[in-house]
Amino acid sequence: MNRRKFMHTAVGGVGTLAAVESIAKDNSISFNKTNAASLKILATNWGFAGDADTFCTAAKKEGYDGAEYWWPKTVKDKDLLFAALKKHGLEVGFLCGSGLKDYSAHLDFFKKSIDAAVKSEVRPLYINCHSGRDHFNYDQNKAFIDYTSEASAQSGIPIYHETHRGRMLFAAHVTRNFIEKNPKLRLTLDISHWCNVHESLLEDQEETVKLALSRVGHIHARIGHAEGPQVNDPRAPEWESAVKAHLSWWDMVVERKIKNGEPITFLTEFGPPGYLPTVPFTNQPLADQWGINVFMMQLLRKRYSK
């Protein structure tokens, strides 16, 4: 059996289902679970080798409700994506952002992406933003919040800003400042980044984390740890404390959303090699990215659906 086949086999089947059962029951939630129709779990095409139709085929087969995609760069890419989503009956969340160094060019590109996404013929569940840069000043980054607040109000589409390294919300304490000064700011929570930035499970910033959780609209379900934004495999026992910490944060968001009758969306976002550790000199992944994300999807359904 070759390494790639071994990796795929080792993380699937009965072992995966047993792990889902074990983690879902452990530290079980105390609030009422939501109707399955209220919970939407999306797949990431990050690291997937294949076109939109192939990806959507695979996502639908696994039981995902939709996919999160970067706003397409070309009309051809957009048409292919929209056709695949329609064919497979999948919903979508769009991702908008820019990597440009110059502030004015960066903001201009961002605005054009947002404008296109809110006018899309396929209405997204939400728009998730990679907003600004960590080295832009406060007023420069605030411009991204102001623009999306207006775009969201006019379109009725929720627009969230991701807690992501390198972006304006790269750290917990920095995000707190933005939250306190911008009441319309809503977050995509990828708290794995903060674990990495602060080299902890944020035990010393509980109040700041609690404040951030109150503003979360969408969740990226990846497990981080003190030395990185992604554990090698969330089923491994050495990561139990990190898994429990992330579940407890997500629980608080889901509980609030259930009480308020708000939609609940997750993206399973364990990444490919680079994020996923590899064997030295080979670039062979130590685990199966797709299998881990499917495991996370099954766990979330088991934990939060009736």
Side-chain angles (χ1 to χ4, degrees), residues 150-256:
E150 182 66 22
S152 182
Q154 290 183 359
S155 67
I157 298 171
I159 303 180
Y160 308 127
H161 298 264
E162 187 173 345
T163 60
H164 199 291
R165 287 173 300 150
R167 300 296 180 172
M168 72 178 184
L169 305 180
F170 68 95
H173 64 293
V174 173
T175 301
R176 179 168 190 150
N177 183 50
F178 279 102
I179 289 173
E180 291 175 340
K181 295 179 179 178
N182 298 273
K184 294 182 180 180
L185 174 62
R186 294 296 180 269
L187 308 178
T188 289
L189 183 74
D190 192 339
I191 203 167
S192 66
H193 290 285
W194 288 358
C195 294
N196 189 192
V197 168
H198 296 289
E199 289 195 303
S200 70
L201 293 177
L202 306 170
E203 301 92 341
D204 58 348
Q205 298 197 70
E206 291 182 358
E207 288 303 314
T208 296
V209 170
K210 185 177 180 180
L211 177 62
L213 295 177
S214 73
R215 295 290 192 91
V216 172
H218 173 53
I219 296 173
H220 278 190
R222 187 174 58 246
I223 309 294
H225 59 105
E227 302 302 334
Q230 178 171 303
V231 301
N232 51 27
D233 193 319
R235 293 158 292 193
E238 59 265 32
W239 300 118
E240 180 180 7
S241 61
V243 171
K244 286 184 175 180
H246 285 72
L247 289 173
S248 70
W249 294 319
W250 302 341
D251 285 352
M252 286 186 271
V253 175
V254 172
E255 180 178 18
R256 170 176 55 80

Side-chain angles (χ1 to χ4, degrees), residues 18-27 234-235 243 247 295 299 303:
V20 170
E21 291 286 347
S22 176
I23 296 176
K25 289 179 179 178
D26 185 44
N27 192 29
R235 293 158 292 193
V243 171
L247 289 173
F295 161 78
L299 169 60
R303 191 171 183 86

Side-chain angles (χ1 to χ4, degrees), residues 42-46 48 55 67-68 267-270 289-290 293:
L42 284 69
T44 179
N45 72 324
W46 181 26
F48 186 86
F55 173 76
E68 185 173 294
L267 176 74
T268 61
E269 208 201 16
F270 274 74
Q289 180 202 4
W290 184 264
N293 280 321

Side-chain angles (χ1 to χ4, degrees), residues 277-293:
T278 59
V279 179
F281 304 105
T282 69
N283 205 37
Q284 288 293 316
L286 292 178
D288 174 16
Q289 180 202 4
W290 184 264
I292 289 173
N293 280 321

